[in-house]
Amino acid sequence: MRVAIAGAGAVGRSIAGELLENGHEILLIDKAPTAISVERVPLAEWLLADACEITSLDEAALQRCNVVIAATGDDKVNLVVSLLAKTEYGVPRVVARVNNPKNEWLFNESWGVDVAVSTPRLMSALVEEAVSVGDLVRLLRFSHGDANLVELTLPPEAALAGTRVGDVEWPEDTSLVTIIRGTRVLTPNKEDALEAGDELLFVAAQSREEQLEDLLSMRREDA
């Protein structure tokens, strides 16, 4: 898979390193000469150019990319890169970094963003996830379909503890994608029984989050 990353700072280089280890073809783009550190990610392609300029993106052959990641420290730049990647080059998947959570509402399909990653929000969500049992925690927002990746740890007194996945009447527009049980990561099937302490990850429409939280937090009558 060919991936272009706009922004060769610490974040961009870190992403590039991870993707290279997984066998992907990586192009790093940055307009600052000081950011071009080929020796730090020697297996990547490098391009000294302004990723907001069509001529630069033509040189990068963005139309050959499967994914574009807008990873600069400037939200305005990330939005422009995302929009150009999607509308001018038809890139199938565009991921954008959100630096200021106040700008998160802009990072949607109108600007060509498929997935918006807000580092401050993600960090706070991970803190909440570590200390919260029975509360729904939003980990990641997907622009298309207004869906989110959410997590809830099933409390000990939960009414659903011991219930098979296939027997639960889940809200519409929600999908249980993973059960984390201790050190195990389970792909749920309808025969799996939920257990207290399970970390449940869902992709859910934002409008269904409250309903999902109420269902999972419902207590047993004898609790």
Side-chain angles (χ1 to χ4, degrees), residues 57 71 83 117 137 141 143 151 181 190 203 209 219:
L57 299 181
L83 185 62
V117 181
V137 177
R141 179 175 64 84
S143 298
E151 184 271 351
R181 182 172 296 159
K190 63 181 181 179
V203 174
E209 289 181 5
R219 299 189 174 203

PDB file of all heavy atoms in Angstrom, residues 57 71 83 117 137 141 143 151 181 190 203 209 219:
ATOM      1  N   LEU A  57       1.653  18.204  -5.180  1.00  0.00           N
ATOM      2  CA  LEU A  57       0.938  16.936  -5.089  1.00  0.00           C
ATOM      3  C   LEU A  57       0.997  16.178  -6.408  1.00  0.00           C
ATOM      4  O   LEU A  57       0.982  14.939  -6.419  1.00  0.00           O
ATOM      5  CB  LEU A  57      -0.515  17.188  -4.662  1.00  0.00           C
ATOM      6  CG  LEU A  57      -0.669  17.872  -3.287  1.00  0.00           C
ATOM      7  CD1 LEU A  57      -2.143  18.047  -2.937  1.00  0.00           C
ATOM      8  CD2 LEU A  57       0.039  17.079  -2.194  1.00  0.00           C
ATOM      9  N   ALA A  71      -0.654  15.166   8.656  1.00  0.00           N
ATOM     10  CA  ALA A  71      -0.137  15.050  10.020  1.00  0.00           C
ATOM     11  C   ALA A  71       0.661  16.262  10.457  1.00  0.00           C
ATOM     12  O   ALA A  71       1.501  16.164  11.358  1.00  0.00           O
ATOM     13  CB  ALA A  71       0.737  13.793  10.130  1.00  0.00           C
ATOM     14  N   LEU A  83      -8.686  17.953   1.706  1.00  0.00           N
ATOM     15  CA  LEU A  83      -9.637  18.303   0.649  1.00  0.00           C
ATOM     16  C   LEU A  83      -9.043  18.057  -0.739  1.00  0.00           C
ATOM     17  O   LEU A  83      -9.705  17.490  -1.627  1.00  0.00           O
ATOM     18  CB  LEU A  83     -10.057  19.764   0.792  1.00  0.00           C
ATOM     19  CG  LEU A  83     -11.138  20.253  -0.170  1.00  0.00           C
ATOM     20  CD1 LEU A  83     -12.433  19.489   0.043  1.00  0.00           C
ATOM     21  CD2 LEU A  83     -11.375  21.751  -0.003  1.00  0.00           C
ATOM     22  N   VAL A 117      -8.252  12.272  13.762  1.00  0.00           N
ATOM     23  CA  VAL A 117      -7.602  11.821  14.990  1.00  0.00           C
ATOM     24  C   VAL A 117      -7.180  13.043  15.794  1.00  0.00           C
ATOM     25  O   VAL A 117      -6.301  13.801  15.376  1.00  0.00           O
ATOM     26  CB  VAL A 117      -6.374  10.940  14.685  1.00  0.00           C
ATOM     27  CG1 VAL A 117      -5.731  10.473  15.995  1.00  0.00           C
ATOM     28  CG2 VAL A 117      -6.771   9.746  13.822  1.00  0.00           C
ATOM     29  N   VAL A 137     -16.852   5.524  26.752  1.00  0.00           N
ATOM     30  CA  VAL A 137     -15.729   6.404  26.421  1.00  0.00           C
ATOM     31  C   VAL A 137     -15.563   6.431  24.914  1.00  0.00           C
ATOM     32  O   VAL A 137     -15.442   5.388  24.271  1.00  0.00           O
ATOM     33  CB  VAL A 137     -14.429   5.917  27.086  1.00  0.00           C
ATOM     34  CG1 VAL A 137     -13.259   6.812  26.678  1.00  0.00           C
ATOM     35  CG2 VAL A 137     -14.572   5.890  28.601  1.00  0.00           C
ATOM     36  N   ARG A 141     -13.367   9.189  16.226  1.00  0.00           N
ATOM     37  CA  ARG A 141     -14.528   9.572  15.419  1.00  0.00           C
ATOM     38  C   ARG A 141     -14.260   9.271  13.954  1.00  0.00           C
ATOM     39  O   ARG A 141     -13.212   9.616  13.420  1.00  0.00           O
ATOM     40  CB  ARG A 141     -14.827  11.070  15.571  1.00  0.00           C
ATOM     41  CG  ARG A 141     -16.013  11.545  14.740  1.00  0.00           C
ATOM     42  CD  ARG A 141     -16.312  13.008  15.031  1.00  0.00           C
ATOM     43  NE  ARG A 141     -15.214  13.883  14.638  1.00  0.00           N
ATOM     44  CZ  ARG A 141     -15.029  14.344  13.399  1.00  0.00           C
ATOM     45  NH1 ARG A 141     -15.844  13.990  12.428  1.00  0.00           N
ATOM     46  NH2 ARG A 141     -14.021  15.156  13.124  1.00  0.00           N
ATOM     47  N   SER A 143     -15.613  10.062  10.201  1.00  0.00           N
ATOM     48  CA  SER A 143     -16.412  11.113   9.577  1.00  0.00           C
ATOM     49  C   SER A 143     -17.605  10.556   8.822  1.00  0.00           C
ATOM     50  O   SER A 143     -18.713  11.054   8.920  1.00  0.00           O
ATOM     51  CB  SER A 143     -15.534  11.939   8.630  1.00  0.00           C
ATOM     52  OG  SER A 143     -14.510  12.575   9.353  1.00  0.00           O
ATOM     53  N   GLU A 151     -15.866   2.661  23.773  1.00  0.00           N
ATOM     54  CA  GLU A 151     -15.482   1.557  24.658  1.00  0.00           C
ATOM     55  C   GLU A 151     -16.245   1.642  25.958  1.00  0.00           C
ATOM     56  O   GLU A 151     -16.532   2.747  26.457  1.00  0.00           O
ATOM     57  CB  GLU A 151     -13.972   1.611  24.927  1.00  0.00           C
ATOM     58  CG  GLU A 151     -13.415   0.474  25.762  1.00  0.00           C
ATOM     59  CD  GLU A 151     -13.452   0.745  27.266  1.00  0.00           C
ATOM     60  OE1 GLU A 151     -13.764   1.899  27.645  1.00  0.00           O
ATOM     61  OE2 GLU A 151     -13.166  -0.177  28.047  1.00  0.00           O
ATOM     62  N   ARG A 181     -10.626  -9.306  26.985  1.00  0.00           N
ATOM     63  CA  ARG A 181     -10.840 -10.024  28.242  1.00  0.00           C
ATOM     64  C   ARG A 181      -9.482 -10.386  28.821  1.00  0.00           C
ATOM     65  O   ARG A 181      -8.810 -11.297  28.351  1.00  0.00           O
ATOM     66  CB  ARG A 181     -11.694 -11.271  28.007  1.00  0.00           C
ATOM     67  CG  ARG A 181     -12.023 -12.075  29.251  1.00  0.00           C
ATOM     68  CD  ARG A 181     -13.023 -13.174  28.923  1.00  0.00           C
ATOM     69  NE  ARG A 181     -14.304 -12.613  28.490  1.00  0.00           N
ATOM     70  CZ  ARG A 181     -15.209 -13.287  27.769  1.00  0.00           C
ATOM     71  NH1 ARG A 181     -14.964 -14.528  27.382  1.00  0.00           N
ATOM     72  NH2 ARG A 181     -16.343 -12.703  27.438  1.00  0.00           N
ATOM     73  N   LYS A 190     -21.936 -14.937  18.136  1.00  0.00           N
ATOM     74  CA  LYS A 190     -23.217 -14.926  18.852  1.00  0.00           C
ATOM     75  C   LYS A 190     -23.246 -15.888  20.030  1.00  0.00           C
ATOM     76  O   LYS A 190     -24.088 -15.746  20.929  1.00  0.00           O
ATOM     77  CB  LYS A 190     -24.357 -15.228  17.892  1.00  0.00           C
ATOM     78  CG  LYS A 190     -24.311 -16.605  17.251  1.00  0.00           C
ATOM     79  CD  LYS A 190     -25.481 -16.783  16.300  1.00  0.00           C
ATOM     80  CE  LYS A 190     -25.469 -18.179  15.662  1.00  0.00           C
ATOM     81  NZ  LYS A 190     -26.623 -18.356  14.749  1.00  0.00           N
ATOM     82  N   VAL A 203     -18.382   0.087  17.190  1.00  0.00           N
ATOM     83  CA  VAL A 203     -18.561   1.190  16.251  1.00  0.00           C
ATOM     84  C   VAL A 203     -20.036   1.534  16.317  1.00  0.00           C
ATOM     85  O   VAL A 203     -20.896   0.671  16.081  1.00  0.00           O
ATOM     86  CB  VAL A 203     -18.147   0.817  14.817  1.00  0.00           C
ATOM     87  CG1 VAL A 203     -18.499   1.948  13.859  1.00  0.00           C
ATOM     88  CG2 VAL A 203     -16.649   0.527  14.751  1.00  0.00           C
ATOM     89  N   GLU A 209     -25.282   6.340  21.156  1.00  0.00           N
ATOM     90  CA  GLU A 209     -24.342   6.124  22.250  1.00  0.00           C
ATOM     91  C   GLU A 209     -25.026   6.080  23.613  1.00  0.00           C
ATOM     92  O   GLU A 209     -24.725   5.219  24.452  1.00  0.00           O
ATOM     93  CB  GLU A 209     -23.264   7.213  22.237  1.00  0.00           C
ATOM     94  CG  GLU A 209     -22.293   7.081  21.077  1.00  0.00           C
ATOM     95  CD  GLU A 209     -21.233   8.151  21.094  1.00  0.00           C
ATOM     96  OE1 GLU A 209     -21.192   8.946  22.057  1.00  0.00           O
ATOM     97  OE2 GLU A 209     -20.433   8.210  20.135  1.00  0.00           O
ATOM     98  N   ARG A 219     -28.266  -2.681  35.650  1.00  0.00           N
ATOM     99  CA  ARG A 219     -27.863  -3.580  36.738  1.00  0.00           C
ATOM    100  C   ARG A 219     -28.807  -4.751  36.874  1.00  0.00           C
ATOM    101  O   ARG A 219     -29.971  -4.671  36.525  1.00  0.00           O
ATOM    102  CB  ARG A 219     -27.804  -2.814  38.065  1.00  0.00           C
ATOM    103  CG  ARG A 219     -26.805  -1.665  38.085  1.00  0.00           C
ATOM    104  CD  ARG A 219     -26.661  -1.112  39.464  1.00  0.00           C
ATOM    105  NE  ARG A 219     -25.603  -0.101  39.536  1.00  0.00           N
ATOM    106  CZ  ARG A 219     -24.970   0.225  40.658  1.00  0.00           C
ATOM    107  NH1 ARG A 219     -25.280  -0.376  41.790  1.00  0.00           N
ATOM    108  NH2 ARG A 219     -24.024   1.139  40.642  1.00  0.00           N
TER     109      ARG A 219
END
